[in-house]
Amino acid sequence: MGIRILIPLFMLFSLYLLFRGHNAPGGGFVAGLVASTGFALYAINYGAERTRKRFSLNPLFLIALGLLIAVLSGLIPLLVGETFMQGLWLEEITVPIMGKPGTPILFDIGVYLLVAGTVMKIVFSLWEE
């Protein structure tokens, strides 16, 4: 019962870490770990299959989407004549907590999805064994 309350808290904290991370400690990796922890605890309580159905989770899709976003964040600078993975920011926009949006946050979002999907795939695979 308690895990149903904790999952939204894990997700909110993971999003905070994600959007804060490119300017301070945190970022996509640790945020992905925190996000996947909530779903892992749910899977431990209710089983992997029920967790997949309840939250419509497909870890392989998250892994593929995260990898795609991370690679695209590196290719965007090539379109404007910069080097691969060069950081580009929108200077005229500032978002609370995050600061100036740019390609680094896109990379962090990709890492976030990739890590969350990988940890969930591992947990679900271990649970199903």
Side-chain angles (χ1 to χ4, degrees):
M1 178 66 180
I3 193 62
R4 292 180 188 177
I5 296 168
L6 287 176
I7 286 179
L9 294 175
F10 276 112
M11 292 307 296
L12 281 173
F13 185 57
S14 77
L15 291 175
Y16 170 75
L17 288 172
L18 171 66
F19 290 117
R20 180 179 181 274
H22 71 282
N23 289 328
F29 185 82
V30 77
L33 289 175
V34 170
S36 62
T37 300
F39 296 111
L41 290 174
Y42 193 93
I44 289 169
N45 283 317
Y46 298 107
E49 192 58 36
R50 183 172 171 185
T51 304
R52 284 180 207 227
K53 288 180 183 174
R54 170 84 165 88
F55 298 103
S56 301
L57 290 175
N58 182 350
L60 292 178
F61 176 76
L62 291 178
I63 292 168
L65 182 62
L67 189 56
L68 176 68
I69 291 171
V71 169
L72 287 177
S73 74
L75 294 176
I76 290 172
L78 293 175
L79 299 175
V80 294
E82 297 290 336
T83 60
F84 179 71
M85 295 294 288
Q86 174 73 38
L88 300 175
W89 289 267
L90 298 173
E91 295 295 330
E92 60 276 354
I93 300 172
T94 301
V95 179
I97 297 174
M98 184 172 72
K100 296 187 183 316
T103 56
I105 192 63
L106 281 178
F107 181 77
D108 276 345
I109 290 170
V111 170
Y112 174 83
L113 293 172
L114 184 65
V115 169
T118 301
V119 171
M120 282 189 269
K121 180 66 176 163
I122 291 169
V123 168
F124 292 169
S125 295
L126 289 173
W127 186 258
E128 290 166 348
E129 289 294 319

